[in-house]
Amino acid sequence: MFRIELSSVGKPWRVLAAVSVVACATLGCGSDDSSSTNAPGDEPKATYGPPSKQTVSKFQRANPDGTNRDVESHVVGEKTIGGTSLWRTRIGDFSGAAPSGSEAWIVQPNADTLLFGGGEIYSQDILPSPDPTQPSASVELSTPLKIDLAGTVGQAVPVTVDTTLRVLGQDVPVKISATITLESANETLTTLAGVLHGTRKFVGTGSADNPALKTLIGGDSLNAAVWYHPGLGMVRATVTLPNKGDFDFDFIGTSEYGNATSGTNRIQAMAVLNTLESLNLDTYDVNGQFDADKQTHAKMMIEARFLDEAKAASSNLS
């Protein structure tokens, strides 16, 4: 078993830790295992990231009424649309009888491309459903929409889709017109998890042309801003709904416990530690057993620094 335990007794620290655990064959370790099933391109011995099916990201959600709550984003399964297998990625609270959040059907075949096939929204606050266990609204495209994550800065990319929205149990045919713009390709972003460099900021607007939709939900347009980090995925988002205000999501941290398969596996986590808080990263949580022996090796990377950028850049440790 390989275990990291880090504790904070003073000012807040941001901690990033990763362990690659390699269960070697009897004859010893040779070349890297590139057959990992974590995600395309994220070999377990790579540096931190990119997000995989096992990644759980945490966000603080700020509501229009001024309240905050923590929510998680993670993959709960797969959905095939137009012959393409997409990840069912949820963000929100789905633990109770009345889920609150959204599920998007997406996949990244590479770091610069996102495929989007639709999704669902659950909300008893902004769009109460007669059956709270069912989505308030959903849409499934016939073919996944391809979104370029490395486009030209400042260029508005038009998107037009003819589809059917299912809203509160009713099917509403709509023509959706939207634009997506890469506003910045290398932005330094301050999040609740500290300063993140190299983020990409996207802004988008969209509207639907069916008057019935406006009658059902009180509006027919939305605006959004999303910050994307190649190693961490989405790290901030603001969604503005008509007559409902802004919904903000701010990155808190992330963890990944891998697949617990034979061969090479990766576990990693990033978190902010306030006074008397700790971070545990333990391969026992992956395999459910003590898995260290003479044939098992680990590659470990730990980074810890003050959350405050000025202190992190100085030699003052007090």
Side-chain angles (χ1 to χ4, degrees):
M1 178 181 70
F2 298 93
R3 179 185 178 93
I4 300 172
E5 182 170 352
L6 300 171
S7 300
S8 173
V9 294
K11 299 181 182 299
W13 288 71
R14 186 177 80 178
V15 177
L16 183 156
V19 179
S20 290
V21 181
V22 186
C24 302
T26 304
L27 296 180
C29 289
S31 62
D32 289 354
D33 176 8
S34 61
S35 62
S36 166
T37 57
N38 283 343
D42 75 334
E43 290 77 10
K45 290 188 179 182
T47 55
Y48 195 95
S52 78
K53 279 186 179 180
Q54 288 74 44
T55 299
V56 177
S57 295
K58 296 182 179 180
F59 298 86
Q60 183 181 91
R61 172 181 164 180
N63 298 313
D65 63 3
T67 60
N68 295 315
R69 61 173 165 168
D70 293 350
V71 296
E72 291 186 347
S73 170
H74 59 282
V75 177
V76 297
E78 295 186 358
K79 185 178 182 68
T80 300
I81 295 178
T84 301
S85 181
L86 306 174
W87 295 356
R88 295 175 50 217
T89 303
R90 285 181 173 177
I91 183 170
D93 183 1
F94 288 80
S95 60
S100 176
S102 63
E103 177 176 310
W105 305 323
I106 57 176
V107 75
Q108 280 188 253
N110 57 65
D112 293 331
T113 304
L114 176 72
L115 299 180
F116 171 78
E120 304 172 333
I121 297 174
Y122 295 77
S123 177
Q124 292 302 103
D125 295 327
I126 63 173
L127 196 59
S129 173
D131 181 355
T133 66
Q134 297 300 310
S136 301
S138 63
V139 60
E140 181 175 333
L141 305 183
S142 58
T143 302
L145 179 66
K146 182 179 179 180
I147 300 174
D148 185 2
L149 299 178
T152 302
V153 174
Q155 179 179 333
V157 179
V159 177
T160 303
V161 178
D162 288 300
T163 187
T164 298
L165 299 179
R166 186 162 183 82
V167 183
L168 301 178
Q170 298 185 41
D171 289 334
V172 183
V174 296
K175 180 178 182 179
I176 298 175
S177 300
T179 60
I180 301 173
T181 304
L182 175 60
E183 191 171 277
S184 173
N186 187 19
E187 185 166 319
T188 297
L189 179 68
T190 300
T191 72
L192 293 174
V195 175
L196 302 177
H197 302 282
T199 65
R200 306 174 191 175
K201 181 183 178 182
F202 296 86
V203 294
T205 62
S207 61
D209 65 355
N210 192 322
L213 180 64
K214 190 170 185 178
T215 301
L216 283 170
I217 67 175
D220 56 5
S221 64
L222 65 82
N223 298 288
V226 176
W227 285 259
Y228 164 79
H229 188 284
L232 299 169
M234 187 187 80
V235 290
R236 175 173 291 169
T238 297
V239 179
T240 303
L241 300 176
N243 303 316
K244 306 295 183 181
D246 294 342
F247 294 83
D248 298 308
F249 298 85
D250 197 352
F251 181 68
I252 298 175
T254 181
S255 63
E256 180 191 325
Y257 281 168
N259 288 314
T261 58
S262 60
T264 303
N265 286 277
R266 182 183 72 188
I267 62 173
Q268 58 187 21
M270 176 189 292
V272 172
L273 303 185
N274 294 296
T275 303
L276 301 180
E277 292 182 342
S278 63
L279 167 69
N280 296 319
L281 193 62
D282 195 333
T283 60
Y284 190 89
D285 295 331
V286 180
N287 292 312
Q289 60 183 334
F290 296 99
D291 53 3
D293 56 36
K294 66 180 181 179
Q295 304 296 342
T296 304
H297 304 269
K299 177 181 178 181
M300 184 181 302
M301 186 277 288
I302 303 174
E303 172 191 305
R305 65 172 177 79
F306 282 117
L307 183 63
D308 180 90
E309 281 290 287
K311 287 188 173 294
S314 74
S315 57
N316 180 11
L317 299 180
S318 62

